[in-house]
Amino acid sequence: MRGGGGAGGAGGAGGGRGGAYRARTAPPPRPPPPRPASLSPHNVQRPGCQCPGAARLQVVDLFKVVGERRIVCVCELPPDKMDQVSFDLPIMQEMGGTVDIEVSPLQPYAAFAADLRSLAGLGPLDPPSPAAGGGGSGEGELFWVDCELSQEGLSQAEFLGLWAAQAEATLQSAADGWVEHVWKVAGQHRVVSVVRVRDAGDLDRRLFGLPAAKSALGPHLNFTVKALRRYEAFAADVQERLEPEEA
């Protein structure tokens, strides 16, 4: 199960279950502190890299939440190593007093969907159809979409049956390319995803058009959306602002 760290995350692969964490930094003290090297693009753990000294933290993706002092880091990490990471990460060593970490262990949605359909007696998943044109273009805006499902007014069997019936449609959205990542939050009725769409209006139309939103499950869906940007771009902006003015 993949793991993640940041405002959302995934479970752990090849070493037990992993987790995700949210880092929220408080306003900087005054006078301005020395340049935070932990925000430098050179210290950003890019996807596919391992974080030195941080319990072999395998970063899958890294984002900054637009307009908020929050970092989303998706990583692969056994849960028993999470505390070690919280001590070893450069941002914790340099800014630890102003950083809060929230961990959400996640499971890849395909694995969860297979289990769910089995429980609901719906049989195995059909593989999603390949996207026309090979999937996403890599252009557009990034959003973090957190969908919480409510069981109110339904028995567990009814709720799981409705959810299971939409599992293949969710995976098809990922195959179509506009959903870049999708996970189930362990122990909660929540699905989190990273999506790339043209703009906020395009996202609205896509969420309204989801098969789950049009089904009997629709009234039980509650979406929370955050705009994202790649952390490398944010770190470069910070670095530029901290450069001393030329004489």
Side-chain angles (χ1 to χ4, degrees), residues 21-24 38 83-101:
Y21 65 83
R22 247 182 218 117
R24 294 185 301 231
S38 59
D83 277 341
Q84 182 179 340
V85 167
S86 70
F87 291 120
D88 291 346
L89 284 174
I91 194 171
M92 294 301 295
Q93 294 178 356
E94 297 184 30
M95 303 171 61
T98 59
V99 176
D100 293 330
I101 293 179

Side-chain angles (χ1 to χ4, degrees), residues 2-5 9-12 18-21 57-61 73-77:
R2 261 187 192 198
Y21 65 83
L57 173 63
Q58 185 74 30
V59 175
V60 176
D61 228 330
C73 177
V74 181
C75 60
E76 295 181 351
L77 182 71

Side-chain angles (χ1 to χ4, degrees), residues 44 81 84-85 97 100 154 163 167 173 232 241:
V44 173
K81 300 297 184 183
Q84 182 179 340
V85 167
D100 293 330
L154 299 172
W163 194 348
S173 297
E232 290 93 333
R241 291 174 179 275

Side-chain angles (χ1 to χ4, degrees), residues 50-160:
Q50 291 183 343
C51 181
R56 297 182 64 81
L57 173 63
Q58 185 74 30
V59 175
V60 176
D61 228 330
L62 192 64
F63 306 97
K64 159 74 170 58
V65 179
V66 174
E68 300 184 22
R69 291 171 177 163
R70 184 175 300 180
I71 297 165
V72 179
C73 177
V74 181
C75 60
E76 295 181 351
L77 182 71
D80 60 335
K81 300 297 184 183
M82 195 67 227
D83 277 341
Q84 182 179 340
V85 167
S86 70
F87 291 120
D88 291 346
L89 284 174
I91 194 171
M92 294 301 295
Q93 294 178 356
E94 297 184 30
M95 303 171 61
T98 59
V99 176
D100 293 330
I101 293 179
E102 297 179 9
V103 179
S104 298
L106 309 182
Q107 180 183 17
Y109 194 80
F112 163 75
D115 291 343
L116 183 61
R117 285 180 63 87
S118 177
L119 287 172
L122 296 181
L125 284 166
D126 290 330
S129 303
S137 64
E139 300 178 355
E141 299 180 13
L142 288 168
F143 293 91
W144 179 267
V145 179
D146 187 328
C147 178
E148 185 169 4
L149 294 85
S150 169
Q151 189 182 326
E152 185 177 0
L154 299 172
S155 68
Q156 184 182 70
E158 291 171 330
F159 177 61
L160 295 181

